[in-house]
Amino acid sequence: MRTDPPATTPPTTPPTTDPRAEDVLAAELALRYGSPLYVYDLTRVERAAADLRAALPERSHLYYSLKANPHPELVRTLRLAGCRPEICSTGELAAALAAGFDGADCLYGGPGKTAAELGEALAAGVRTFSVESPADLRRVGAAARARGVTARCLLRINGAGAGAGVGLRMTGGASQFGHDIADGLPDIAELTVEGTELWGLHFFPLTNAVDPQGLLAEAVASIRTAAALEAHWGRPLRMLDLGGGFACPYAAPGERPLYDVVRAPLEAALDEHLPGWRGRLELAFESGRYLVGDSGRLVCTVTEVKESRGTTYGVLDSGINHLGGLSGVGRLPSLRAEPLHLTDPDPDPDADPAVAGPVTRRVALVGPLCTPADVISRATEAVVPRPGALLAVPNVGAYGATASLLGFLGRPAPAEITVRDGRVVSADRLALTRRPLPVHDRPDHQNDHDQSDHDQSDHDQNDHHQNDHQSDRRDLVGRTARS
């Protein structure tokens, strides 16, 4: 099977919408709801789900990773498209439930699960968990036993991988993710924990793999490892989650790649290494960015243009508090904001009529925050923006608002608007709130009787406050509707 990267660029999904019509709608929404704002096109979400399903083996289950964007309308749209929720927190669980999923639909993963969150998830009906280690498995087992239920667990594997040089590698080296099998396969006895049933395996070797052949190589390596573990344990797997890695441009122009070339080779690899998989194995894949990435863009306004030592600065009303907060610490690439394609009714009075075409200079786009880290794009040769102009950052439906520094410097979150066929489906914004917690004054010296009574009272109050805390956590990023 060929697994080396192809010499040609992979095909991409062709645009099917009119960019100018999208820009006109974005400008109308900015007038109605204010700037900045995110606009999500639900039709693009549906199209991405259909494209990805067509690329996967038959009978595959597709999970949506809510960390990419937990907006309720996007999650609801993907539920109706046949996806299931992959979650890593009780906040994401609440978002999935609000979008109409049941707890039993969810796959709950992530490192460092606490007893409190496991209890909340089990109480909501979650029964399938991805565990990162035997210790994580034991924590899930203890929480399940306390509630008299059994949890189906997938052991996440940190395998060798295929070494494909694509995307961001998640496993294959030292990592907090997955059970490391570099020194040998785990013994089944170590994974036999009361309150749990070892249901299968979970792999997620890399992310954002533009090259379909590189992604295919990693998936085939995971299938081989799964077959080796199945043989080592002497028992059939019931579920195999091969993860994701499906790419989408981020905060820059471009189209989603298509992965239709991987379906037949994946099915062939499954037939070879896990014979009979179609009748006995629940096969799963995950995606976040691919399903929602190209659905959204951030529309913002130029508030000022200023010169400083040979560089022109366009100051925007949106920055790393609204998009790509990690770019300020060098964890994300420079973003791209481009003007909307609108007819300019007010030509630049300072333009020189003798100069043909727009003048370009070194331009940096920065946000409104009081920190030099608030840079949207570094100084590059570009057309100088004008105060009042609307700009848009494309392909930010994933890792946009909720992956940003929303609480920094106390500025309001951007409005988030979902649309379908040019019509508004929903309009809201995230709101951070601060809620008081009870203050416990404990005297330094009490007699044993008083102390015992006090401890029991605290225990009862803590049960009540734990419920309040769970509600507070959901309200912390609660959405407030805008009319």
Side-chain angles (χ1 to χ4, degrees), residues 3-25:
T3 57
D4 53 307
T8 57
T9 302
T12 58
T13 179
T16 58
T17 51
D18 178 5
R20 188 175 296 275
E22 288 185 321
D23 285 355
V24 170
L25 175 61

Side-chain angles (χ1 to χ4, degrees), residues 106-179:
C106 298
L107 170 60
Y108 199 116
K113 305 176 194 68
T114 66
E117 68 177 292
L118 288 170
E120 188 172 341
L122 289 163
V126 178
R127 292 295 181 267
T128 307
F129 295 84
S130 171
V131 296
E132 308 283 347
S133 65
D136 196 16
L137 179 66
R138 290 191 292 271
R139 285 194 295 273
V140 174
R145 290 195 306 274
R147 285 153 186 81
V149 299
T150 300
R152 307 189 314 174
C153 292
L154 308 180
L155 180 65
R156 182 166 175 176
I157 298 298
N158 178 6
V166 288
L168 172 64
R169 185 157 298 284
M170 301 288 287
T171 54
S175 175
Q176 72 268 43
F177 300 112
H179 184 73

Side-chain angles (χ1 to χ4, degrees), residues 30-406:
L31 282 175
R32 193 185 316 175
Y33 298 104
S35 172
L37 76 162
Y38 278 91
V39 182
Y40 308 117
D41 187 336
L42 300 179
T43 301
R44 287 180 177 266
V45 175
E46 294 164 343
R47 190 180 306 131
D51 285 347
L52 191 49
R53 282 195 170 281
L56 299 177
E58 62 175 326
R59 303 182 185 180
S60 298
H61 295 291
L62 180 56
Y63 282 82
Y64 172 56
S65 299
L66 267 72
K67 61 177 172 287
N69 191 332
H71 191 285
E73 285 300 331
L74 273 65
V75 180
R76 186 175 295 111
T77 297
L78 288 166
R79 177 177 64 81
L80 296 174
C83 296
R84 298 176 179 181
E86 187 270 322
I87 59 175
C88 295
S89 70
T90 51
E92 290 181 354
L93 170 60
L97 297 177
F101 284 107
D102 293 327
D105 299 322
C106 298
L107 170 60
Y108 199 116
K113 305 176 194 68
T114 66
E117 68 177 292
L118 288 170
E120 188 172 341
L122 289 163
V126 178
R127 292 295 181 267
T128 307
F129 295 84
S130 171
V131 296
E132 308 283 347
S133 65
D136 196 16
L137 179 66
R138 290 191 292 271
R139 285 194 295 273
V140 174
R145 290 195 306 274
R147 285 153 186 81
V149 299
T150 300
R152 307 189 314 174
C153 292
L154 308 180
L155 180 65
R156 182 166 175 176
I157 298 298
N158 178 6
V166 288
L168 172 64
R169 185 157 298 284
M170 301 288 287
T171 54
S175 175
Q176 72 268 43
F177 300 112
H179 184 73
D180 200 330
I181 60 171
D183 297 327
L185 303 181
D187 186 28
I188 193 65
E190 187 182 17
L191 304 171
T192 303
V193 175
E194 186 182 355
T196 71
E197 185 172 3
L198 185 59
W199 203 250
L201 298 170
H202 180 195
F203 295 84
F204 206 113
L206 78 170
T207 183
N208 206 25
V210 176
D211 171 24
Q213 295 296 336
L215 186 143
L216 173 61
E218 294 291 342
V220 171
S222 297
I223 291 169
R224 289 174 178 152
T225 301
L229 281 163
E230 186 177 67
H232 178 65
W233 292 335
R235 57 190 289 182
L237 301 173
R238 300 188 185 184
M239 182 173 177
L240 176 60
D241 184 343
L242 290 174
F246 308 102
C248 183
Y250 179 71
E255 305 295 333
R256 285 183 289 106
L258 296 177
Y259 292 94
D260 51 342
V261 298
V262 308
R263 178 171 183 165
L266 269 181
E267 290 180 346
L270 288 161
D271 287 337
E272 177 183 356
H273 299 287
L274 295 168
W277 64 275
R278 288 177 176 83
R280 67 177 177 88
L281 190 64
E282 181 179 339
L283 185 64
F285 294 85
E286 305 165 31
S287 179
R289 73 176 73 236
Y290 190 88
L291 292 173
V292 299
D294 76 340
S295 72
R297 57 181 180 164
L298 174 62
V299 179
C300 51
T301 302
V302 180
T303 60
E304 183 180 354
V305 177
K306 60 187 296 186
E307 301 288 333
S308 178
R309 305 189 184 191
T311 296
T312 300
Y313 286 88
V315 183
L316 311 181
D317 61 357
S318 182
I320 59 174
N321 55 327
H322 297 159
L323 175 64
L326 293 180
S327 64
V329 291
R331 295 293 295 173
L332 291 175
S334 183
L335 314 179
R336 289 274 299 277
E338 298 183 333
L340 298 183
H341 297 86
L342 303 172
T343 302
D344 190 353
D346 183 21
D348 187 353
D350 299 326
D352 185 349
V355 177
V359 177
T360 63
R361 290 201 293 271
R362 286 184 58 79
V363 178
L365 297 179
V366 299
L369 304 185
C370 191
T371 169
D374 192 16
V375 177
I376 297 298
S377 63
R378 306 291 173 184
T380 58
E381 196 72 15
V383 176
V384 179
R386 296 181 52 202
L390 289 175
L391 305 182
V393 184
N395 290 320
V396 290
Y399 304 107
T402 54
S404 301
L405 306 177
L406 289 177

